[in-house]
Amino acid sequence: MFVFGDGWAAYEGPCAAHDSHAHVAVQLTAARSGLVHLAADRGRELWGEALILAPRVRHRMPSNTDVVLLVYVETHTPLASKLVALIAPDDAGPAPPIVRDRLLSNEPTDQIMRGLKADLGEATRVLDPRLEWALLRASQSPAPGTIARAASALDLSTARLRALAQAQLSAPLSQWLLWRKLERSGRALAAGAPLSEAALAGGFADQAHLNRTMKRMFGVTPFEAAQVVRPSDKRSVQ
């Protein structure tokens, strides 16, 4: 089951072993039974009922897990900053009880996320208004050149806009835009769209471009991801 919320996306279901990858979101991983096992960069092995990974940490799941909850929290949100602070100075580690207990509850994912925000005392995070406007415009238009066009409209250099994004999103603007494109494709896949239509929905040049990008950022191809949300699997899709 895929679920999308304000500043986050989540998947709950079986999870097959997958390739090493990295993405620009904070990742929460929780096993519905037993322990979850992640192999991170620099030879690190992580085990736990629930884990937190900071953005851009390369990792993979070496073995199949019967049922796992994966939550991706976007870096520009206050919740992402709170979660990363909980494992600092490390960039990957077991989730403390305040997060673990929420993730292991039987609540729907949207309730889990509301509970995490309340538990961690999420405050409002104010982005530079220029960056906020640029992100809105860029997220609405996946066409090539959107960064340059947004910078020009703001009377900023492209380099300056990219620097603002790096400072406030903790990720390159180009990677944030790829995440937005994958989100649009993911929503289409969750709704049952064919892979070719999901690629177009995300603003990718073609299905092959979507394949390469999803493989690089999630360790799986769209076809592999689609197998867990097709109606024939008899799982619910939101």
Side-chain angles (χ1 to χ4, degrees):
M1 178 171 67
F2 284 105
V3 183
F4 296 89
D6 183 14
W8 59 269
Y11 163 77
E12 183 172 0
C15 189
H18 52 246
D19 294 342
S20 179
H21 63 283
H23 40 67
V24 297
V26 175
Q27 178 178 309
L28 305 176
T29 307
R32 285 312 192 194
S33 63
L35 301 177
V36 65
H37 174 209
L38 289 180
D41 55 6
R42 303 194 299 275
R44 294 176 293 175
E45 299 287 330
L46 303 173
W47 299 83
E49 293 178 294
L51 304 172
I52 300 175
L53 282 83
R56 306 176 73 187
V57 175
R58 294 200 64 82
H59 61 281
R60 64 186 178 90
M61 192 169 288
S63 56
N64 295 352
T65 302
D66 288 339
V67 180
V68 66
L69 173 64
L70 299 173
V71 181
Y72 303 97
V73 184
E74 296 182 15
T75 57
H76 69 280
T77 63
L79 181 59
S81 299
K82 294 279 189 177
L83 292 168
V84 171
L86 290 175
I87 56 171
D90 295 327
D91 58 9
I98 193 172
V99 174
R100 180 199 63 206
D101 294 347
R102 280 289 180 186
L103 294 175
L104 296 180
S105 72
N106 292 320
E107 298 175 329
T109 310
D110 58 345
Q111 292 184 25
I112 289 176
M113 298 307 292
R114 285 197 296 270
L116 280 177
K117 292 176 181 180
D119 293 341
L120 298 180
E122 183 188 44
T124 301
R125 184 177 182 183
V126 180
L127 292 177
D128 185 297
R130 297 168 297 176
L131 177 60
E132 189 171 23
W133 183 88
L135 294 179
L136 177 61
R137 178 164 177 168
S139 65
Q140 293 173 340
S141 174
T146 186
I147 296 176
R149 289 193 298 273
S152 178
L154 290 167
D155 198 25
L156 292 175
S157 68
T158 302
R160 178 55 182 156
L161 180 57
R162 290 183 185 277
L164 279 174
Q166 181 66 53
Q168 297 204 2
L169 302 179
S170 302
L173 184 54
S174 58
Q175 294 297 299
W176 188 89
L177 292 175
L178 273 180
W179 182 260
R180 275 283 178 260
K181 294 171 74 169
L182 286 170
E183 179 187 351
R184 286 192 291 268
S185 291
R187 288 179 182 271
L189 286 173
L195 297 180
S196 57
E197 292 183 10
L200 291 176
F204 292 95
D206 50 34
Q207 187 175 323
H209 187 197
L210 172 60
N211 284 341
R212 292 192 301 271
T213 304
M214 184 171 283
K215 183 74 169 179
R216 186 172 77 249
M217 296 188 74
F218 286 97
V220 297
T221 66
F223 177 80
E224 292 167 333
Q227 301 313 297
V228 299
V229 297
R230 291 304 185 224
S232 60
D233 287 338
K234 302 191 185 305
R235 299 186 184 94
S236 77
V237 177
Q238 292 188 5

